[in-house]
């Protein structure tokens, strides 16, 4: 008997066989996988718990108790290249910050504001300048350099975000990007420590404020950027020859020693045409010394970048071991400048609305944000590079994937991030019963520990003497039941006193009576 199998039947048979094979694999996969994993795990655990330290991976554990995984990675990077490291995005160290400061609103003696109350978050920087700079919110987009760090796409996205927010963005210390000022809300141009740092009169005319950059939270002093990292338009805009590296100077062009500062600022003031001029410095323990020079030179604002600030790529030793935290610097700067008409712009390690609002309460006029808008640029675009590259490769100048950044989407993401922060700050202001930043003050804060209270001058929540209240005021706060009890006790006390007086009289008469 001949069996004839048609094509359709053959396909069905093959399908059934395939299903059976897949089912068998699925059925057997779990026990087989468990067996393999068990053997590997048992072998690893046996070696881990029985072999001598010099043959055991666990020999690293005692060392990792004394230093971190990051230290181990950077050790390996140094061993690989023999060159000074450049670490991105700042120090991993945690400094004394704003966590031990809490807002302390009144509830019975001052009510919070209605939900629809408008909050005045506007700020004017350089109020004594002929053309002070006013922005709608106290949060600004910090200095991030074109070419030395960010791509043209990223810089334009940040500029557009600042226009959406009606705030300012800073050029950073890179070559001047001509497309940036017209895309910005307000534009701050750095006079920086590179060969192009003096800027041209045309470039200065495009700015709303100038910023003389002498340092930042994660960097100070000279540096070198190899020509290969600046190839392309940034090299041309920086006035560099092909193959010529970029080398940072100790000070902006024209300043060879401290005695050159008065003439330099005088010339810059003429070129500024009335817009504010700020000084940017790394926050150090010599802060008052630097501020004294800033006051003498007539700067309209100071930008103080504390330890904890981010950077595209600087030496770990500068990030971890230079400067002081911004909280200390802000308090000291406010105390030194007092009521001087010099705006204080603080930066370095600000990531939350609470940190920003507390800084404003302590006397900052505005805050630069860097890492926050930078990371926000890549929101919903990270899949273009992950998992093989970090998200920041979308925004760096020397990255092959920089052109994949959608500029408008990046601008919206950065603007949304800062807008969300401002809305939370406004909600907190209403809870405090304040409708304007000018009403915010250190009295709105309380310190959770004595050290924070001592450093900031904010009242502590412990070791505080309870103020004495007048007896009438205390009595008026008692309930009726408590008042009746007080009256009863007072009456009993009066009876006891009267009885004591009578007994005293009897005793006195007995003493006087002759035997």
């Amino acid at each position: 008997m001949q069996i004839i199998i048609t094509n359709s039947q053959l396909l069905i048979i093959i399908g059934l066989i395939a299903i059976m094979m897949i089912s068998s694999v699925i059925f057997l996969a779990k026990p087989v996988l468990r067996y393999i994993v068990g053997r590997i795990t048992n072998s690893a655990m046996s070696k881990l718990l029985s072999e001598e330290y010099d043959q055991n991976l666990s020999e690293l554990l005692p060392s990792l108790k004394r230093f971190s995984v990051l230290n181990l990675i950077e050790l390996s990077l140094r061993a690989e290249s023999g060159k000074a490291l450049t670490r991105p995005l700042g120090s991993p160290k945690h400094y004394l910050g704003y966590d031990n400061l809490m807002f302390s609103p009144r509830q019975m003696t001052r009510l919070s504001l209605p939900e629809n109350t408008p909050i005045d978050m506007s700020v004017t920087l350089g109020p004594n300048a002929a053309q002070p700079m006013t922005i709608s919110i106290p949060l600004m987009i910090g200095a991030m350099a074109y070419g030395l760090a960010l791509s043209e796409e990223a810089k334009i996205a940040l500029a557009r975000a600042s226009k959406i927010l009606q705030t300012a963005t800073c050029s950073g210390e890179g070559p001047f990007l001509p497309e940036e000022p017209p895309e910005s809300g307000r534009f701050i141009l750095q006079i920086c420590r590179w060969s192009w740092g003096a800027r041209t009169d045309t470039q200065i005319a495009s700015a709303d404020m100038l910023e003389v950059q002498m340092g930042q939270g994660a960097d100070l002093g000279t540096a070198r950027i190899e020509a290969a990292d600046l190839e392309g338009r940034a090299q041309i805009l920086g006035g560099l020859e092909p193959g010529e590296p970029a080398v940072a100077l100790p000070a902006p062009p024209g300043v060879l020693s401290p005695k050159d500062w008065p003439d330099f600022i005088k010339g810059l003031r003429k070129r500024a045409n009335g817009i504010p001029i700020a000084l940017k410095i790394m926050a150090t323990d010599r802060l008052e010394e630097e501020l004294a020079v800033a006051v003498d030179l007539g700067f309209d604002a100071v930008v103080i970048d504390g330890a904890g600030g981010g950077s595209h790529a600087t030496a770990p030793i500068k990030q971890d071991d230079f400067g002081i935290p911004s909280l200390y610097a802000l308090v000291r700067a406010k105390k030194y400048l007092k009521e001087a008409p010099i705006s204080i712009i603080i930066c370095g390690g600000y990531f939350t609305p609470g940190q920003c609002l507390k800084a404003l309460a302590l006397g900052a006029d505005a805050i630069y944000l860097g890492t926050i808008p930078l990371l926000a640029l890549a929101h919903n675009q990270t899949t273009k590079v992950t998992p093989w590259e970090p998200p920041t490769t979308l925004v760096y100048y020397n990255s092959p994937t920089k052109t994949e950044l959608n500029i408008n989407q990046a601008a919206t993401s950065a603007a949304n991030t800062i807008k969300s922060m401002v809305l939370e700050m406004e909600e907190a202001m209403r809870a405090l019963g304040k409708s304007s930043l000018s009403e915010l003050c250190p009295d709105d804060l309380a310190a959770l520990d004595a050290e924070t209270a001592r450093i900031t001058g904010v009242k502590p929540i412990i070791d505080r003497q309870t103020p004495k209240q007048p007896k009438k005021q205390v009595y008026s706060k008692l309930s009726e039941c408590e008042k009746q009890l007080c009256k009863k006790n007072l009456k009993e006390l009066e009876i006891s006193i009267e009885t004591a007086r009578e007994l005293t009289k009897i005793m006195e008469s007995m003493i006087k009576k002759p035997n």
Side-chain angles (χ1 to χ4, degrees), residues 252-502:
V255 178
L256 301 178
S257 72
K259 66 181 181 181
D260 295 328
W261 279 118
D263 289 340
F264 176 83
I265 295 299
K266 184 178 179 180
L268 186 61
R269 183 71 67 184
K270 290 180 180 178
R271 299 173 66 201
N273 294 317
I275 63 175
I277 301 178
L279 171 66
K280 182 174 184 180
I281 55 175
M282 172 191 282
T284 71
D285 193 45
R286 305 181 189 276
L287 182 63
E288 289 79 6
E289 179 183 325
E290 313 288 4
L291 293 176
V293 176
V295 172
D296 289 343
L297 292 174
F299 280 101
D300 302 295
V302 288
V303 181
I304 305 172
D305 200 354
S311 174
H312 165 55
T314 56
I317 191 171
K318 290 182 178 178
Q319 295 180 10
D320 296 343
D321 304 294
F322 274 58
I324 63 174
S326 67
L327 174 60
Y328 293 84
L330 172 58
V331 172
R332 288 172 58 172
K334 187 64 179 177
K335 182 178 179 181
Y336 182 83
L337 295 174
K338 296 179 182 176
E339 301 303 321
I342 298 179
S343 301
I344 299 175
I345 303 167
I346 197 73
C347 46
Y350 290 85
F351 305 112
T352 69
Q355 291 172 334
C356 294
L357 197 62
K358 290 171 189 176
L360 295 168
L362 290 175
D365 293 291
I367 297 157
Y368 265 142
L369 299 177
T371 302
I372 289 294
L374 176 67
L375 296 181
L377 288 177
H379 174 66
N380 279 344
Q381 301 192 58
T382 56
T383 53
K384 296 176 181 178
V385 291
T386 56
W388 312 117
E389 300 290 342
T392 47
T393 55
L394 283 170
V395 300
Y396 287 155
Y397 176 80
N398 57 1
S399 168
T401 58
K402 62 185 180 183
T403 56
E404 295 185 31
L405 184 75
N406 183 311
I407 296 176
N408 286 332
Q409 184 179 348
T412 300
S413 297
N416 282 347
T417 301
I418 297 177
K419 178 184 176 182
S420 173
M421 294 177 69
V422 172
L423 289 174
E424 283 190 43
M425 292 164 68
E426 289 180 351
E427 187 170 332
M429 292 282 288
R430 292 188 189 95
L432 290 166
K434 308 292 178 77
S435 61
S436 171
L437 286 178
S438 61
E439 300 174 28
L440 205 59
C441 65
D443 189 55
D444 293 311
L445 297 168
L448 299 183
D449 64 286
E451 182 67 7
T452 301
R454 184 185 66 80
I455 291 168
T456 61
V458 169
K459 57 185 180 293
I461 64 168
I462 57 175
D463 298 329
R464 297 179 66 188
Q465 292 183 350
T466 304
K468 294 182 179 180
Q469 295 177 316
K471 293 180 180 178
K472 290 183 178 179
Q473 185 177 347
V474 174
Y475 186 76
S476 66
K477 294 182 179 180
L478 299 177
S479 67
E480 285 301 319
C481 181
E482 290 170 328
K483 288 178 182 179
Q484 292 297 329
L485 183 60
C486 283
K487 289 178 180 179
K488 180 182 178 183
N489 291 338
L490 185 59
K491 188 172 183 180
E492 290 177 353
L493 180 60
E494 289 174 349
I495 293 171
S496 299
I497 293 173
E498 188 63 31
T499 303
R501 285 174 180 168
E502 292 295 329

Side-chain angles (χ1 to χ4, degrees), residues 168-188:
T169 187
C170 183
S171 69
E173 53 185 331
F176 180 81
L177 184 64
E179 292 85 357
E180 188 176 10
E183 295 278 5
S184 304
R186 295 285 189 170
F187 181 62
I188 300 171

Side-chain angles (χ1 to χ4, degrees), residues 41-104:
T41 302
N42 291 339
S43 176
M45 289 298 295
S46 176
K47 291 179 180 179
L48 194 67
L49 298 176
S50 61
E51 291 185 349
E52 297 291 335
Y53 261 129
D54 59 357
Q55 299 176 10
N56 199 321
L57 284 174
S58 64
E59 71 173 354
L60 284 174
L61 292 178
S63 295
L64 290 176
K65 286 288 185 179
R66 294 184 290 113
F67 62 88
S68 68
V69 175
L70 178 62
N71 295 144
L72 181 63
I73 292 172
E74 292 186 345
L75 179 154
S76 298
L77 292 175
R78 290 185 174 98
E80 178 70 20
S81 67
K83 299 178 181 179
L85 297 186
T86 53
R87 182 204 290 155
L89 300 180
S91 174
K93 293 174 69 174
H94 291 275
Y95 303 99
L96 176 69
Y98 295 86
D99 286 349
N100 280 356
L101 289 173
M102 303 296 286
F103 284 107
S104 184

Side-chain angles (χ1 to χ4, degrees), residues 103-148:
F103 284 107
S104 184
R106 291 177 173 86
Q107 297 171 74
M108 300 301 292
T109 58
R110 181 172 187 169
L111 300 182
S112 59
L113 300 179
E115 186 275 335
N116 60 352
T117 302
I119 306 297
D120 182 10
M121 301 291 279
S122 63
V123 174
T124 297
L125 300 176
N128 275 19
Q131 299 183 56
M133 185 180 76
T134 300
I135 50 180
S136 295
I137 59 175
L139 307 182
M140 304 190 295
I141 296 174
M144 288 175 270
Y146 165 66
L148 302 182

